[in-house]
Amino acid sequence: MSKNPIKVALIGNPNVGKTSVFNELTGLNQQVGNYPGITVEKKQGVCKLNETIKAKIIDLPGTYSLNASSIDENVVIELLLNKNDEDFPDVAVVVTEVENLKRNLLLFTQIKDLEIPTILVINMADRMKLKGIELDIPVLEKELKTKIALISSRKKIGIDYLKDLILNYNALSTEPCLNASSIDPEYFNNLRRAFPNQLLYKLWLVITQDVNFLNLDRNEIKSSFTKSHSDLKKLQQKETIKRYQFINDTLKLGQKIDVSKATDIRAKIDRILTHKIFGYVIFFGILMLIFQFLFDWSSIPMDFIDETFANLSSLAKQHLPVGEFTNLISEGLIPGIGGIVIFIPQIAFLFLFISVLEESGYMSRVVFLMDKIMRKFGLSGKSIVPLISGTACAIPAIMSARNIENWKERLITILVTPFTTCSARLPVYAILISLIIPEKRVLGFLSLQGLTLMALYLLGFGMAVFSAFLLNKYLKLSCKSYFVVEMPSYKIPMFKNVGINVLEKTKAFVTGAGKIILALSVILWYLGSHGLSDDFNNAEKIITQQNQNKTITTEEFEDQVNSFKLENSYIGYMGKAIEPAIRPLGYDWKIGVAVVSSFAAREVFVGTLATIYSVGSHSEEETTIKNRMAAEVHPETGNKIFNFATGISLLLFYAFAMQCISTLAIVKKETNSWKWPIIQLVFMSGFAYITSLIAYQFLK
Amino acid sequence: MDIQQILVYASLAVAVGFLVKKFFWKKRTKKSKPCGDDCACH
């Protein structure tokens, strides 16, 4: 037998436990990437079948049928129809679940028509007794012309048998289990005569699906055999009805359900969780709990990471030879890496909660619940997931919009998600609020500063929804819009699945956005610590002359030199160059530098101001920088720089502006075009500028 | 120019090169059309 791995495509409807089967087969031998040219996640792994033979398992995106409606589903069809694809499977493993066998088998019958050796996996076998379901496997195998593995990925039952079936895939029948061409014999006979060497069902899919084929002349087929759109739709409907008739007949023979045993707790829970009042109350209650835990739990590891990197930075400075590269390491690279690593706890906790909600089956109820509200603003119920995820980071949030089938709704979701208050805005909000909002209590117990922070979160969400409404009105994309959501059974989340998901998402954040942030921090460090002018090169001399008649400590002298150097560095020049444009908003050049540098990532704003205001020790950073910022006065007017008007102007700017290059990069990647990130940048930053301008001019 | 400065400029070149490659020199391995002209973002 060949030592080449057997190529296995894992296919199935969403929520049938396909990922659990993939995890059981591959363990941690997984790789996550993208399909070439598109942004759909590609998961593959290796499974050891016996001592000598391995299988390469490709976990394809969940799909209900081979009639594609989203890019995820297109991936499945394109792979199954293209024998030249390097991943074209030797065997297809169709995963179904015992409670929804009827619906799940539709996809199975379509794949069988492609004459690919196919194994049917019936998952969640452990629930059969509970639900009063009995299956006659030999009868089902005979009718469906395949081998069946009855498994429970949760209880690890039947996995070895599935491996045996994969190992012996050559023995599987490739005969279709029904004759779908009988829906219009004349049409299909003509098609068969015209293309005798091609598989009939493949030709049918070429005619009805808008997918890329590498080895078929799509135009040739379509020009001769295409029918009107409505005729094709009618034929597709007939095909589906025929398949369901076959499935019904098969299940009558091979499945028995004892209705008295099928307790309906699920329907009762559904009625509460999707109730038009209680449903929302429960959801917002869960959200509040999540954010409470998210910030409370994250703060401990985040503080630890922050301190560790600050110590590493000091150690590097103390022990490495004095020089520019040492400065780059201690002031650029280590804080740069720290700036990525510090967000790992929040990202990990967020995906932990999201995974638990998804795994338990609750997220589908939330999507159903929110669809009613979101649809009024041109969004889908599925948009709620990116909007919630956006509170941690817009990057994974935008990526999570991939499962929205309707392109217009997906595009709107991608464009408005960055308005949601992400964790990178928090340090900016926190320091500005502490500067301009007094530490007062409202109604005796509510902190005014806390309420301001909450108002900023609501402002971001409100702006996202409002922008969606505008985009929905003005975007001239007429797309079919329908909403189908699976209501899976409630389950206790599997630790392994949750763990692998958290690991994958965190890794994607660190290796994706992380590399960009790291590269930018090197460039920003260079621009901030180098300059061309004589003033920059003679900073020590100039500061010494300025302080001739004063007594200052060495620390104060160094602070002043650093501040002077920064003012005359490349980035200082950039700040001064943009000063005329930002002065109407109440900002000076130093704030301008922080705003420009925070284009890399919003949280850089605080770090840049810390450097500009010459703050040394990180352990007292916030207090010190707060005092310095509070004391900062305008050299010409003598007025405080961080007054109420400037503070509000800055808060509004950061609430609305597209201050994140990584988000723009991911929008470009997701939309496959520069057009949308540019529109997003211009609209968000333009809106931020105008609102900040109005706020400052009104309040000053 | 000492060794530390050389390393700084090398790091800078790598950082700039990385960003240019990432955003402007992306190799397309499969024909893909921009999304947004119609409903099909394939």
Side-chain angles (χ1 to χ4, degrees):
Chain A
M1 196 174 276
S2 163
K3 289 204 173 174
N4 285 334
I6 299 169
K7 285 180 276 185
V8 181
L10 213 55
I11 310 163
N13 290 186
N15 295 312
V16 292
K18 190 164 59 68
T19 303
S20 304
V21 176
F22 177 72
N23 289 341
E24 281 309 318
L25 287 173
T26 60
L28 286 173
N29 296 322
Q30 300 182 6
Q31 280 181 317
V32 182
N34 271 0
Y35 287 92
I38 49 173
T39 55
V40 175
E41 200 173 72
K42 181 181 187 179
K43 281 173 81 172
Q44 56 186 39
V46 175
C47 171
K48 200 173 170 187
L49 298 172
N50 64 18
E51 287 306 312
T52 52
I53 299 170
K54 288 178 179 171
K56 180 183 171 187
I57 317 276
I58 302 161
D59 184 15
L60 289 166
T63 181
Y64 289 102
S65 69
L66 291 184
N67 307 323
S69 62
S70 72
I71 51 171
D72 288 20
E73 290 175 345
N74 269 339
V75 166
V76 180
I77 303 171
E78 287 191 24
L79 177 66
L80 296 180
L81 295 189
N82 183 12
K83 282 192 174 173
N84 296 330
D85 194 306
E86 58 170 1
D87 291 330
F88 183 80
D90 297 314
V91 55
V93 173
V94 179
V95 184
T96 59
E97 69 133 329
V98 75
E99 284 184 70
N100 290 305
L101 207 49
K102 184 178 163 182
R103 193 187 54 240
N104 297 165
L105 282 175
L106 176 76
L107 178 67
F108 171 82
T109 63
Q110 288 181 310
I111 291 168
K112 277 289 277 177
D113 278 8
L114 291 173
E115 297 182 10
I116 297 169
T118 307
I119 298 167
L120 178 65
V121 169
I122 302 178
N123 196 9
M124 304 183 196
D126 53 308
R127 298 175 69 85
M128 284 171 65
K129 201 174 173 186
L130 185 76
K131 296 288 171 183
I133 299 170
E134 278 178 45
L135 294 175
D136 189 336
I137 298 295
V139 169
L140 289 175
E141 283 183 340
K142 188 180 161 221
E143 294 299 315
L144 297 169
K145 296 187 172 65
T146 189
K147 282 286 179 188
I148 296 175
L150 187 62
I151 69 159
S152 165
S153 53
R154 179 174 294 269
K155 307 266 182 188
K156 303 185 196 321
I157 299 166
I159 301 295
D160 288 338
Y161 180 61
L162 174 60
K163 286 182 185 175
D164 283 344
L165 289 179
I166 294 172
L167 197 60
N168 299 303
Y169 76 93
N170 279 325
L172 293 166
S173 159
T174 55
E175 192 188 342
C177 46
L178 79 159
N179 178 16
S181 64
S182 64
I183 53 172
D184 189 341
E186 194 187 334
Y187 179 75
F188 282 97
N189 281 336
N190 288 338
L191 198 58
R192 188 181 283 124
R193 273 196 290 274
F195 300 94
N197 298 325
Q198 293 292 348
L199 200 64
L200 199 58
Y201 193 59
K202 186 174 176 178
L203 292 167
W204 172 238
L205 287 175
V206 171
I207 292 164
T208 53
Q209 304 301 313
D210 182 23
V211 284
N212 298 322
F213 297 96
L214 302 177
N215 55 350
L216 272 174
D217 187 349
R218 183 183 165 79
N219 292 330
E220 191 192 343
I221 301 170
K222 288 197 93 172
S223 61
S224 314
F225 287 91
T226 202
K227 290 181 169 232
S228 71
H229 182 71
S230 61
D231 283 347
L232 279 178
K233 282 283 160 206
K234 275 180 199 162
L235 267 186
Q236 275 185 298
Q237 283 164 7
K238 277 177 90 175
E239 181 205 337
T240 308
I241 291 166
K242 186 165 179 61
R243 288 184 189 281
Y244 272 121
Q245 279 170 349
F246 167 76
I247 293 164
N248 278 336
D249 293 344
T250 305
L251 290 180
K252 265 182 205 165
L253 296 170
Q255 185 191 44
K256 273 186 197 163
I257 300 175
D258 182 350
V259 185
S260 65
K261 283 186 186 171
T263 49
D264 209 11
I265 298 170
R266 176 180 147 173
K268 284 176 190 161
I269 301 174
D270 272 352
R271 271 199 289 277
I272 299 167
L273 293 182
T274 58
H275 189 269
K276 58 184 178 183
I277 297 167
F278 301 130
Y280 293 104
V281 172
I282 292 167
F283 173 55
F284 285 108
I286 290 173
L287 267 193
M288 274 176 65
L289 272 176
I290 287 177
F291 284 113
Q292 193 61 43
F293 287 136
L294 190 70
F295 293 118
D296 279 357
W297 291 0
S298 301
S299 64
I300 300 163
M302 282 175 90
D303 288 346
F304 173 74
I305 292 167
D306 205 9
E307 274 176 36
T308 307
F309 276 88
N311 292 337
L312 268 177
S313 198
S314 309
L315 276 174
K317 207 155 198 174
Q318 281 166 14
H319 296 290
L320 292 175
V322 177
E324 277 211 44
F325 191 63
T326 300
N327 290 344
L328 170 63
I329 292 171
S330 61
E331 295 166 11
L333 284 175
I334 294 176
I337 297 167
I340 303 154
V341 177
I342 196 167
F343 290 106
I344 288 178
Q346 274 194 341
I347 300 280
F349 278 127
L350 183 83
F351 280 105
L352 173 76
F353 291 123
I354 289 179
S355 298
V356 168
L357 293 183
E358 277 175 351
E359 277 272 310
S360 65
Y362 178 66
M363 199 54 108
S364 303
R365 276 79 188 174
V366 173
V367 169
F368 173 78
L369 202 63
M370 296 311 287
D371 186 64
K372 289 175 196 166
I373 298 178
M374 292 296 176
R375 203 155 282 280
K376 289 176 188 163
F377 298 98
L379 293 168
S380 155
K382 290 184 179 176
S383 306
I384 196 67
V385 179
L387 289 176
I388 293 170
S389 312
T391 51
C393 180
I395 295 161
I398 286 169
M399 285 160 72
S400 70
R402 286 171 189 175
N403 68 344
I404 301 173
E405 292 89 354
N406 182 313
W407 169 234
K408 186 176 176 181
E409 287 172 354
R410 183 174 168 225
L411 179 65
I412 293 176
T413 307
I414 289 171
L415 294 179
V416 306
T417 294
F419 275 120
T420 321
T421 302
C422 64
S423 57
R425 282 177 174 108
L426 263 183
V428 183
Y429 285 172
I431 200 146
L432 289 172
I433 288 172
S434 68
L435 276 172
I436 61 161
I437 305 293
E439 283 182 56
K440 280 185 184 168
R441 300 254 157 206
V442 180
L443 302 171
F445 67 99
L446 289 171
S447 153
L448 189 61
Q449 292 185 338
L451 284 176
T452 312
L453 186 65
M454 197 178 82
L456 284 163
Y457 267 85
L458 292 176
L459 189 69
F461 188 78
M463 191 57 204
V465 174
F466 178 65
S467 307
F469 174 74
L470 290 181
L471 285 165
N472 184 41
K473 213 170 171 183
Y474 294 108
L475 268 180
K476 301 291 177 202
L477 299 173
S478 52
C479 301
K480 57 180 178 180
S481 182
Y482 56 88
F483 179 58
V484 180
V485 65
E486 181 86 9
M487 291 289 191
S489 318
Y490 293 103
K491 295 181 282 282
I492 295 168
M494 279 175 75
F495 178 76
K496 189 174 181 180
N497 291 351
V498 172
I500 287 175
N501 193 29
V502 169
L503 200 71
E504 266 173 19
K505 294 290 190 300
T506 312
K507 203 171 132 191
F509 168 75
V510 175
T511 55
K515 281 188 269 187
I516 298 169
I517 295 171
L518 190 62
L520 277 169
S521 60
V522 172
I523 296 167
L524 283 172
W525 171 85
Y526 181 83
L527 294 174
S529 50
H530 289 79
L532 274 178
S533 70
D534 288 343
D535 283 352
F536 181 88
N537 296 323
N538 300 315
E540 282 88 355
K541 208 183 279 178
I542 293 165
I543 296 296
T544 310
Q545 281 170 0
Q546 282 178 359
N547 289 303
Q548 259 177 353
N549 302 322
K550 293 180 198 164
T551 312
I552 56 166
T553 62
T554 318
E555 210 170 289
E556 283 172 331
F557 176 76
E558 278 175 11
D559 283 352
Q560 285 186 24
V561 170
N562 287 340
S563 191
F564 185 81
K565 274 189 159 180
L566 191 78
E567 194 174 342
N568 291 284
S569 66
Y570 294 119
I571 210 161
Y573 280 118
M574 285 163 67
K576 285 190 172 173
I578 61 160
E579 200 174 17
I582 56 170
R583 201 188 286 269
L585 310 184
Y587 314 158
D588 65 354
W589 78 265
K590 292 176 184 175
I591 298 176
V593 170
V595 169
V596 169
S597 62
S598 70
F599 188 69
R602 291 177 179 93
E603 61 274 28
V604 173
F605 177 81
V606 181
T608 309
L609 281 183
T611 317
I612 294 173
Y613 296 131
S614 311
V615 178
S617 165
H618 274 264
S619 59
E620 290 178 350
E621 184 186 319
E622 194 167 306
T623 324
T624 321
I625 190 175
K626 200 173 119 185
N627 292 342
R628 290 283 189 122
M629 285 167 80
E632 192 72 8
V633 289
H634 198 281
E636 289 164 20
T637 60
N639 293 333
K640 278 191 173 182
I641 293 283
F642 288 96
N643 52 30
F644 185 72
T646 306
I648 293 291
S649 168
L650 267 171
L651 285 174
L652 289 174
F653 187 84
Y654 275 92
F656 300 136
M658 174 44 109
Q659 287 290 98
C660 184
I661 197 165
S662 309
T663 304
L664 286 173
I666 207 79
V667 172
K668 191 260 162 188
K669 199 174 163 196
E670 295 295 300
T671 59
N672 217 2
S673 156
W674 277 110
K675 177 182 161 186
W676 298 112
I678 289 169
I679 288 174
Q680 196 175 31
L681 175 70
V682 172
F683 174 73
M684 288 182 71
S685 300
F687 185 78
Y689 187 90
I690 291 165
T691 43
S692 302
L693 177 74
I694 293 168
Y696 179 73
Q697 296 299 332
F698 185 71
L699 294 169
K700 74 172 179 180
Chain B
M1 194 181 275
D2 64 16
I3 184 75
Q4 292 230 10
Q5 279 178 317
I6 293 168
L7 288 170
V8 164
Y9 285 106
S11 307
L12 190 66
V14 169
V16 173
F18 168 76
L19 290 178
V20 170
K21 186 169 174 258
K22 187 152 188 81
F23 295 119
F24 302 106
W25 256 349
K26 200 165 177 187
K27 198 171 77 177
R28 286 190 177 179
T29 50
K30 189 174 178 179
K31 194 185 167 193
S32 55
K33 63 183 176 184
C35 307
D37 301 319
D38 56 24
C39 295
C41 183
H42 304 310

